[in-house]
Amino acid sequence: MGKRNSQRKKVSLLDSDDDDSVSSSSTSRSDVMLAQGIEDVQLDKESSLDLALDALYEKRGTTREKALSSIIEAFSSNLQHLFVEKKFATLLHQCLNSIKRGSAKEASLACQAIGLLALTVGHGNNAHEILEESVPPISQALKSSSESSKISWLLECLGIVTFVGANDPEETERSMQIMWQLLHPKLGSNVVARKPSAEVITAVVSAWSFLLTTMDGWKLNPKNWQGSISYFSSLLDKDDRSVRIAAGEALALIFEVGSLEKFFIEPKGPSDSSIHEENIHREGFAHIQGLKGKILNQVRNLSVEAGGKGSAKKDLNSQRNSFRDILEFLEGGYCPETSMKIGGDSLNTSRWSQLIQLNFLKHFLRGGFVKHMQENEFLHEVFGFTPKRKHLSGSEHHLSSGEKRMYKSPNSVVNKARTQLLNKQRMLSQGRNAGHYAVGLGDEEL
């Protein structure tokens, strides 16, 4: 009822204008009406988000799941800056409650919502608060969860909030260690070793690599990642192609980052002699070269692997292409160069770190990827991407379905008001023309 009344008020305001002012102000009034329409759309979106946020307090789990789905859709299709300014903390803590106490589906949806919230606020104090508040419940959920899909979403969320909110390398490595422990748990009291599924292994390696793209090799703590190159090499022999591709890209990134000595296990020996220390470094260098030779052979074989029984051709081609790029990089140092169209602009990558970031964010954002790449300033900074600005009062403007109903539909308030203005303008024009014609005839008679 409120919306209809407001529409009637707008039309009545137009009806009350003096006839003499209609023709001179018709364009400006239609522009004002259009602007008011946009404000109404924004208010409708905000009120829908408010309702969804209120629904997160409901006891019924399915109600909260539907609310989270609505929030995800809203944050994917538009950057909800106004809503975030008012309800940032409330939304964050309700989503964290869903991770702590909700079903696997609800927790997965909450992870998506938190990641979108972090990408919307961009780097700063709010993003750091999201990180600090999210790490404990996500870490706990990763330890207690057994469902692969939920674990994958928890890892993606942890990757996103760390990528946006971490202020220093230590915070990033903390999240990387939480991920790593899923594959290499520290056995002790109350810890039961579980064999991770292929889906979980892929999710861990992908999220870990995503965060490694933000690190300077020299700042890595070598105690944390010793043996990681050997582990990724072992994953290249696994049956699952997604695992092999994720491991191959992780290895390519490690070689791009450098500081390889931080990723392998150094031979142990007496440390009280400079001669022994020199021998250890010499052995370490030889170990790296030997390991790199083994990886080169593995990558070369995977780049030309023939399809086996039941293998999907698309997956096989994806593997071959990935490992051809990795092989070219390991042998000649050439990184794959990619170009992706975002609207009318090209988003280019020329390093493994950029490509891994792009693929991870594209996978997380799904249908909202293009919208965020066009309008999210944080992502513009990440990729050095500057899209063409398109405004409503200039060139092309992409309308949402709600905006289309407001502006395009013949029955919309905006179009009705515009038609009324045109009719008035036409009547005035006809009246003035008739008056001029009558004056002309009188002059001739005189």
Side-chain angles (χ1 to χ4, degrees):
M1 288 298 292
K3 194 179 293 185
R4 291 181 181 175
N5 289 338
S6 64
Q7 291 176 355
R8 290 196 189 103
K9 286 179 183 177
K10 290 173 185 173
V11 175
S12 65
L13 284 171
L14 290 169
D15 287 339
S16 64
D17 289 335
D18 294 335
D19 287 347
D20 291 341
S21 66
V22 172
S23 60
S24 62
S25 62
S26 60
T27 302
S28 61
R29 289 187 181 281
S30 61
D31 288 343
V32 169
M33 181 62 68
L34 206 58
Q36 289 175 334
I38 294 173
E39 289 177 6
D40 284 350
V41 170
Q42 295 299 328
L43 288 172
D44 285 344
K45 289 177 180 176
E46 282 193 52
S47 61
S48 297
L49 278 169
D50 284 331
L51 291 173
L53 183 57
D54 290 341
L56 295 182
Y57 290 92
E58 295 293 330
K59 292 183 179 180
R60 190 184 294 273
T62 53
T63 302
R64 297 195 300 271
E65 289 170 9
K66 289 178 182 178
L68 286 166
S69 295
S70 297
I71 290 168
I72 291 166
E73 183 180 356
F75 273 76
S76 297
S77 59
N78 284 287
L79 273 76
Q80 306 292 341
H81 291 301
L82 291 177
F83 180 81
V84 167
E85 285 179 13
K86 301 173 185 176
K87 305 292 176 67
F88 156 77
T90 305
L91 177 58
L92 172 61
H93 288 101
Q94 286 306 115
C95 288
L96 291 176
N97 284 336
S98 291
I99 290 177
K100 294 173 187 175
R101 295 191 284 271
S103 65
K105 181 180 179 181
E106 183 181 343
S108 299
L109 291 168
C111 287
Q112 288 179 262
I114 291 173
L116 286 165
L117 178 63
L119 288 170
T120 300
V121 302
H123 188 69
N125 292 334
N126 284 347
H128 191 256
E129 181 179 342
I130 293 174
L131 173 62
E132 292 304 302
E133 294 290 330
S134 300
V135 165
I138 289 178
S139 179
Q140 183 58 43
L142 285 170
K143 291 176 183 176
S144 60
S145 299
S146 58
E147 189 169 328
S148 295
S149 177
K150 176 183 175 181
I151 293 172
S152 296
W153 276 114
L154 287 164
L155 289 165
E156 286 197 48
C157 179
L158 181 58
I160 291 292
V161 299
T162 306
F163 184 79
V164 183
N167 287 338
D168 53 54
E170 288 75 18
E171 290 178 343
T172 300
E173 278 201 271
R174 176 188 61 184
S175 293
M176 292 171 71
Q177 283 185 283
I178 292 171
M179 298 169 180
W180 196 250
Q181 285 170 12
L182 283 177
L183 305 180
H184 305 277
K186 294 179 180 179
L187 298 181
S189 58
N190 301 323
V191 178
V192 179
R194 293 194 305 263
K195 186 178 180 181
S197 66
E199 182 181 352
V200 168
I201 294 173
T202 303
V204 170
V205 176
S206 298
W208 184 90
S209 301
F210 178 61
L211 293 184
L212 181 61
T213 64
T214 67
M215 297 291 289
D216 183 338
W218 293 106
K219 295 180 180 179
L220 287 166
N221 186 338
K223 294 181 180 179
N224 293 335
W225 314 118
Q226 286 187 356
S228 55
I229 290 181
S230 297
Y231 175 71
F232 290 135
S233 174
S234 72
L235 293 183
L236 296 181
D237 295 328
K238 296 293 183 182
D239 293 332
D240 190 273
R241 283 205 173 95
S242 63
V243 169
R244 297 200 293 254
I245 291 172
E249 291 181 348
L251 285 166
L253 179 63
I254 287 173
F255 281 93
E256 181 179 82
V257 169
S259 302
L260 298 182
E261 70 280 359
K262 297 192 176 185
F263 296 96
F264 79 98
I265 299 174
E266 289 189 1
K268 292 184 178 180
S271 58
D272 57 347
S273 170
S274 60
I275 296 176
H276 283 298
E277 187 174 342
E278 183 179 341
N279 288 336
I280 289 172
H281 286 304
R282 188 182 296 114
E283 290 175 16
F285 178 77
H287 179 67
I288 290 177
Q289 293 305 309
L291 195 53
K292 184 176 181 181
K294 177 189 175 183
I295 291 168
L296 272 171
N297 287 330
Q298 290 176 298
V299 169
R300 190 176 292 111
N301 291 335
L302 290 170
S303 69
V304 294
E305 183 185 47
K309 183 179 178 181
S311 62
K313 186 176 181 181
K314 182 180 178 182
D315 293 340
L316 180 61
N317 288 337
S318 176
Q319 175 185 287
R320 286 172 178 168
N321 292 335
S322 294
F323 281 98
R324 283 169 187 162
D325 288 337
I326 295 168
L327 181 63
E328 189 173 356
F329 172 69
L330 294 179
E331 288 185 327
Y334 301 106
C335 296
E337 295 184 356
T338 67
S339 182
M340 175 186 293
K341 282 290 184 182
I342 306 291
D345 305 290
S346 294
L347 173 59
N348 303 313
T349 67
S350 58
R351 298 195 306 273
W352 278 107
S353 58
Q354 292 175 323
L355 182 59
I356 288 170
Q357 288 175 356
L358 179 64
N359 287 338
F360 191 91
L361 287 162
K362 185 179 179 183
H363 180 266
F364 180 83
L365 286 167
R366 288 168 164 73
F369 173 73
V370 171
K371 183 70 173 181
H372 274 260
M373 281 309 310
Q374 287 177 324
E375 298 185 7
N376 192 315
E377 293 183 1
F378 171 74
L379 295 184
H380 296 169
E381 292 177 7
V382 168
F383 294 104
F385 177 64
T386 307
K388 297 172 184 174
R389 303 293 181 181
K390 295 179 180 180
H391 300 289
L392 184 65
S393 59
S395 54
E396 182 183 0
H397 174 70
H398 296 283
L399 301 177
S400 67
S401 57
E403 291 170 329
K404 286 178 181 177
R405 286 194 295 271
M406 174 160 281
Y407 306 132
K408 301 289 188 181
S409 170
N411 295 322
S412 71
V413 59
V414 175
N415 275 318
K416 284 181 177 179
R418 187 183 292 112
T419 300
Q420 193 173 14
L421 280 170
L422 291 173
N423 287 339
K424 285 189 174 187
Q425 192 173 11
R426 192 178 297 111
M427 290 173 61
L428 280 172
S429 178
Q430 290 173 350
R432 284 170 181 155
N433 287 339
H436 289 310
Y437 181 64
V439 171
L441 285 176
D443 290 339
E444 286 178 1
E445 289 177 354
L446 287 171

